[in-house]
Amino acid sequence: MKEAVNIFWFRRDLRLHDNAGLYHALKSGLSVVPIFIFDRNILDKLEAKVDARVQFIRDTVQAIQNVMVEKGSSLEVYYDHPESVFKRLLSKYVIGKVFTNLDYEPEARERDDRVQKLLEKAGVSLHAYKDQVIFHAGEVLKDDGKPYTVFTPYSKRWKALLNDFYLRSYPTEKYAHYFYKQAPLAVPSLSSMGFSPSSISIPPLIIEKGTLKKYDQQRDYPAIPGGTSRMGIHLRFGTISIRELAREARALNETYLNELIWREFYQMILWHFPMVGRGRAFKPVYDLIKWRNNEQEFEQWCKGETGYPLVDAGMRELNTTGFMHNRVRMVVASFLAKHLLIDWRWGEAYFAGKLLDYDLAANNGGWQWAAGSGCDAAPYFRVFNPTLQARRFDPGLEYIRHWVPEFGEFGYAAPIVEHEMARKRALAVYSKTLKENRG
């Protein structure tokens, strides 16, 4: 006889503590079967079969499983398409409800719609909760009910709405006895999913209070060890609670809190304007720019061989570690879109394949900001000078010399393009497009 249970579906929330959807599932009145799906719709598209992010997810899921086993329960972990998994679950159990946490990306929303329709046909409801943000996209709106498209007024309203209620943790531990009891089940291995181990290391899940206290003073200098929190991957996959991190930020450093608000701003933009996640410019006229798209120059940019040491250092850091300092991200993005006039979407896709902390909303927002095409973006006529940026933010050349050891030597690449010529060329192309397509 099939047992009556509720399901909790882990996604971008890979932790047992302070998990909104899990809390509501455990209080729902039935035993809870926790599941995780290695979604083939995502994994099968990854060209590189050595991916530190997939390994991180797998290791994290295994760590959760170890805790579940101690509680006499088990995760059910699948490598499959979500609809197929839920068909199997519907045949295995009498399911009352399915609980999960909201995901704001367009493809995730479409996936959830498909799963919801499948479940509804079986008389099962899907319940999704706010967990990866402090405020859902519909909670921080202008007085007329429309979404903000400029960061500063958004952040002011965000802060005005913030109170202790929104930062409280969900006490999931109190209800852990409601997990469904069963024998341990195996977590799929990397090799069974077609992946191999990565040598890239993951930043530790440690909130350094010293880093947060000095964040406003140190965040722009890529050579400073511990100058930034390195919490990006943990926020991306939910191994840390945003409520926990926001409490620390509110107490220790408003500049760091502002960075968390930027993250939510871009999530809100993606929710209200999903076309930006589909390769469209937030400002449609920018889709009409005639990019040069020189493939050889793009390859030099990817490899960190542009002859601009700060750009090259950033790209080599990314290729080696899966991380790039945020100040440097702005410089390399501006360089690609404006110095080389290569479509920002090429760079966005490259970052998506490399960044440990890749997040569609933040990555897209950052690239459109640099290219001038996004909401509240840097104006098109703002072109970062990589040489001046290096002098200002890496004055001792520590960052550059670490990643570009041949800098200053005969073998270092000559600049791929001359700055002033490239700046004027970019301004001419951008201004021509905007003038020809006014209104």
Side-chain angles (χ1 to χ4, degrees):
M1 181 177 177
K2 295 193 291 187
E3 295 193 53
V5 300
N6 285 335
I7 302 290
F8 178 72
W9 181 11
F10 282 101
R11 283 116 62 106
R12 293 182 54 156
D13 49 4
L14 297 179
R15 65 188 187 283
L16 292 168
H17 70 281
D18 190 13
N19 184 315
L22 180 58
Y23 169 79
H24 288 286
L26 292 171
K27 289 191 67 182
S28 63
L30 289 176
S31 294
V32 174
V33 176
I35 71 165
F36 180 81
I37 303 170
F38 285 100
D39 189 344
R40 294 195 62 166
N41 294 320
I42 299 171
L43 295 192
D44 290 0
K45 292 178 184 176
L46 296 178
E47 294 181 9
K49 294 305 179 182
V50 178
D51 193 309
R53 296 166 297 188
V54 176
Q55 181 171 333
F56 173 69
I57 294 169
R58 199 264 168 203
D59 290 347
T60 303
V61 168
Q62 183 63 63
I64 293 174
Q65 173 70 322
N66 294 343
V67 176
M68 297 302 302
V69 171
E70 291 176 3
K71 298 179 183 297
S73 183
S74 179
L75 269 174
E76 296 193 11
V77 185
Y78 300 88
Y79 169 55
D80 204 342
H81 303 280
E83 296 97 314
S84 298
V85 170
F86 279 99
K87 288 176 183 177
R88 291 162 67 180
L89 291 168
L90 286 166
S91 67
K92 182 176 180 180
Y93 299 107
V94 176
I95 299 175
K97 300 175 182 178
V98 175
F99 294 81
T100 193
N101 287 309
L102 285 165
D103 193 333
Y104 305 106
E105 297 185 3
E107 290 190 5
R109 292 166 67 179
E110 292 177 1
R111 172 202 62 202
D112 290 353
D113 286 344
R114 293 194 302 270
V115 169
Q116 184 170 18
K117 288 174 183 175
L118 185 154
L119 292 172
E120 284 175 350
K121 288 181 180 178
V124 178
S125 54
L126 176 66
H127 301 264
Y129 294 85
K130 176 183 68 175
D131 183 71
Q132 61 167 302
V133 292
I134 301 299
F135 292 112
H136 183 273
E139 292 182 297
V140 184
L141 298 170
K142 295 189 285 188
D143 291 339
D144 62 3
K146 294 181 180 178
Y148 287 97
T149 57
V150 177
F151 174 74
T152 298
Y154 171 85
S155 67
K156 289 179 178 177
R157 176 62 64 90
W158 193 101
K159 291 175 183 176
L161 291 171
L162 186 66
N163 59 44
D164 290 343
F165 170 79
Y166 291 103
L167 298 180
R168 287 191 305 186
S169 293
Y170 290 90
T172 50
E173 293 83 358
K174 288 172 57 177
Y175 303 94
H177 54 283
Y178 285 107
F179 280 117
Y180 178 70
K181 306 299 182 186
Q182 63 174 319
L185 301 170
V187 176
S189 64
L190 279 177
S191 60
S192 71
M193 297 184 287
F195 287 85
S196 300
S198 169
S199 60
I200 290 178
S201 59
I202 304 297
L205 182 52
I206 300 172
I207 306 172
E208 295 285 0
K209 293 191 175 182
T211 294
L212 297 192
K213 286 179 180 178
K214 296 179 181 178
Y215 182 78
D216 56 320
Q217 305 164 40
Q218 299 183 341
R219 67 178 182 139
D220 280 319
Y221 300 92
I224 296 178
T228 58
S229 73
R230 301 293 299 273
M231 285 293 105
I233 187 172
H234 298 291
L235 282 169
R236 169 63 180 86
F237 295 111
T239 46
I240 190 171
S241 159
I242 183 60
R243 292 170 288 279
E244 179 183 359
L245 195 52
R247 286 197 302 268
E248 294 283 352
R250 186 171 71 158
L252 296 174
N253 198 297
E254 187 174 12
T255 301
Y256 190 76
L257 181 64
N258 285 338
E259 291 301 306
L260 298 181
I261 300 172
W262 267 107
R263 174 179 172 270
E264 299 206 358
F265 177 68
Y266 284 139
Q267 293 278 359
M268 178 272 298
I269 291 295
L270 184 63
W271 176 268
H272 288 291
F273 306 95
M275 79 284 187
V276 300
R278 301 283 194 195
R280 301 284 299 280
F282 182 84
K283 299 172 184 173
V285 66
Y286 283 78
D287 282 331
L288 302 175
I289 290 174
K290 292 181 171 56
W291 305 101
R292 292 176 60 251
N293 289 345
N294 183 296
E295 293 186 5
Q296 181 180 341
E297 291 179 0
F298 180 66
E299 185 71 14
Q300 289 172 272
W301 178 85
C302 291
K303 292 180 177 179
E305 296 175 354
T306 68
Y308 283 87
L310 187 60
V311 174
D312 294 345
M315 295 306 296
R316 295 183 195 188
E317 179 184 32
L318 174 64
N319 293 334
T320 304
T321 70
F323 173 79
M324 189 192 298
H325 188 277
N326 190 56
R327 166 59 57 175
V328 186
R329 293 188 198 197
M330 292 190 286
V331 174
V332 303
S334 175
F335 186 87
L336 184 76
K338 293 179 177 174
H339 280 73
L340 302 183
L341 278 175
I342 289 175
D343 193 331
W344 58 268
R345 283 160 282 230
W346 289 28
E348 180 193 23
Y350 190 79
F351 273 30
K354 294 288 185 178
L355 283 170
L356 290 176
D357 62 8
Y358 168 68
D359 176 277
L360 174 58
N363 191 49
N364 179 271
W367 272 97
Q368 295 222 42
W369 182 91
S373 62
C375 62
D376 201 15
Y380 78 87
F381 49 81
R382 182 182 183 186
V383 180
F384 280 103
N385 183 325
T387 304
L388 294 181
Q389 290 284 309
R391 288 176 189 165
R392 183 175 178 186
F393 298 111
D394 190 29
L397 300 176
E398 299 160 79
Y399 177 74
I400 286 171
R401 291 199 183 282
H402 178 79
W403 291 108
V404 190
E406 76 274 26
F407 171 64
E409 298 178 1
F410 178 74
Y412 183 52
I416 192 173
V417 67
E418 195 272 321
H419 167 70
E420 189 57 23
M421 182 281 291
R423 187 185 73 84
K424 290 178 179 177
R425 181 176 64 184
L427 296 184
V429 169
Y430 272 74
S431 61
K432 182 175 186 288
T433 302
L434 297 179
K435 286 177 183 177
E436 290 177 349
N437 298 277
R438 282 178 178 164

